[in-house]
């Protein structure tokens, strides 16, 4: 029975490899360590490359700002973009598989030497100046936070600079990313997370009109499943300093 199951899995892999294109072009964010950086490296790159390699698909990445990657994917100039949170606003724009790359949590951050702004995101005082990144997803609940005065910027450095100079009351950052930027800028002791915003599953998001999207999605799903079964997925997360996750 075990041999039969393995044989069936092999047949499924061969069928998908035959069906899927031999290569995929992906837009990759340029400033979201430890998941993706300007050098075209990071956890997302390694997960996607290894998963597709198991299906015989070569990955070509174009490193661009995140919002630009979304636009290029919608325009069909690339096949897909990462790292995209699956929520109402993105499901209307892109296709997703069933296997996320990983989960991550975003929090509200403020200066440590200031009085705590609020107990949670629902009790923010009216007019609270909150900084976010252009094009990022912050969960379906975020748009219902009516007391925020949103300030939209292009990168994490801008957010931190405006927070440190008291031009923002709070910023929303993904926690693993915030850890990297707070360390790089030497302000770990000046900025703190005060309460969570949301937890998201991050995916590779595919162009809705591309005839190859369905086959590429199936190839990626199968590749990610195999990485998890082989223990390679857990190893890659550990190397990136991220705790093991269940899906």
């Amino acid at each position: 029975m075990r041999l039969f199951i393995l044989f069936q899995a092999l047949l499924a892999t061969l069928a998908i490899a035959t069906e899927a294109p031999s290569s995929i072009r992906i837009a990759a964010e340029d400033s979201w360590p430890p998941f993706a950086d300007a050098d075209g490296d990071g956890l997302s790159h390694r997960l996607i490359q290894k998963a597709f390699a198991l299906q015989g698909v070569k990955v070509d990445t174009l490193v661009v700002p995140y919002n630009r990657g979304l636009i290029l994917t919608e325009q069909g100039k690339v096949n897909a973009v990462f790292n995209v949170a699956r929520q109402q606003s993105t499901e209307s724009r892109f296709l997703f598989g069933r296997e996320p790359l990983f989960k991550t949590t975003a929090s509200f951050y403020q200066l440590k030497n200031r009085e705590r702004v609020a107990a949670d995101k629902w009790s923010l005082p009216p007019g609270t100046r909150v900084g976010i990144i252009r094009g990022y997803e912050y969960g379906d609940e975020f748009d219902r936070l009516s007391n925020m005065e949103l300030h939209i910027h292009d990168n994490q450095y801008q957010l931190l600079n405006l927070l440190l100079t008291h031009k923002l009351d709070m910023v929303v950052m993904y926690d693993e990313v915030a850890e990297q930027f707070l360390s790089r800028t030497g302000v770990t002791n000046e900025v703190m997370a005060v309460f969570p915003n949301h937890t998201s599953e991050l995916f590779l998001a595919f162009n809705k009109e591309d005839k190859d999207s369905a086959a590429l999605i199936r190839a990626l799903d199968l590749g990610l499943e195999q990485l998890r079964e082989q223990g390679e997925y857990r190893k890659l997360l550990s190397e990136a300093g991220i705790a093991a996750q269940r899906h």
Side-chain angles (χ1 to χ4, degrees):
M1 177 62 72
R2 181 176 176 80
L3 286 174
F4 176 76
I5 293 172
L6 290 172
F7 180 68
Q8 292 293 98
L10 177 60
L11 287 178
T13 300
L14 290 173
I16 290 173
T18 302
E19 179 186 2
S22 60
S23 64
I24 180 173
R25 186 162 172 76
I26 300 173
E29 184 174 1
D30 62 353
S31 184
W32 214 55
F35 305 108
D37 61 28
D39 295 326
D41 192 19
L43 174 62
S44 298
H45 287 272
R46 293 189 283 274
L47 281 173
I48 290 167
Q49 288 167 353
K50 286 181 177 290
F52 273 123
L54 290 171
Q55 307 306 311
V57 179
K58 181 181 178 181
V59 175
D60 175 31
T61 54
L62 175 65
V63 178
V64 293
Y66 179 71
N67 196 52
R68 180 64 178 155
L70 297 175
I71 294 169
L72 289 173
T73 304
E74 285 190 299
Q75 292 176 340
K77 294 179 179 178
V78 296
N79 300 102
V81 56
F82 62 83
N83 304 287
V84 181
R86 190 170 189 169
Q87 59 186 53
Q88 290 178 7
S89 62
T90 55
E91 286 191 323
S92 66
R93 301 170 64 187
F94 304 103
L95 294 176
F96 296 88
R98 68 176 181 275
E99 293 292 327
L101 300 174
F102 48 82
K103 290 181 182 178
T104 188
T105 299
S107 299
F108 282 79
Y109 288 76
Q110 70 165 72
L111 295 177
K112 289 183 179 180
N113 62 7
R114 296 191 65 185
E115 183 178 351
R116 190 177 173 118
V117 173
D120 57 44
K121 65 182 182 180
W122 300 108
S123 56
L124 291 169
T128 302
R129 299 170 300 172
V130 177
I132 60 174
I133 299 293
R134 190 180 316 279
Y136 278 20
E137 301 88 38
Y138 294 97
D140 290 325
E141 294 179 341
F142 195 73
D143 291 339
R144 302 206 300 270
L145 303 179
S146 58
N147 285 344
M148 296 186 301
E149 179 186 297
L150 280 182
H151 294 251
I152 303 172
H153 299 281
D154 292 322
N155 59 62
Q156 319 284 345
Y157 290 114
Q158 290 177 3
L159 291 188
L160 288 175
N161 181 60
L162 292 168
L163 183 65
L164 291 163
T165 56
H166 302 275
K167 294 175 182 175
L168 291 174
D169 301 308
M170 310 189 83
V171 298
V172 183
M173 301 177 72
Y174 283 85
D175 295 328
E176 291 91 351
V177 179
E179 182 179 349
Q180 297 270 334
F181 278 96
L182 293 176
S183 176
R184 288 182 182 184
T185 53
V187 295
T188 302
N189 295 325
E190 298 177 52
V191 178
M192 64 178 180
V194 286
F195 45 78
N197 177 56
H198 77 302
T199 297
S200 283
E201 291 185 326
L202 278 293
F203 288 81
L204 189 60
F206 292 79
N207 178 278
K208 274 194 165 186
E209 307 301 324
D210 189 340
K211 62 180 177 57
D212 293 326
S213 289
L216 289 167
I217 286 171
R218 287 192 289 272
L220 179 62
D221 280 343
L222 185 57
L224 289 170
E225 287 177 355
Q226 290 176 330
L227 287 179
R228 292 189 175 101
E229 291 168 0
Q230 296 167 0
E232 183 70 13
Y233 179 84
R234 182 185 294 268
K235 179 183 176 183
L236 289 170
L237 262 63
S238 177
E239 290 173 350
I242 298 172
Q245 303 176 358
R246 287 189 176 183
H247 298 285

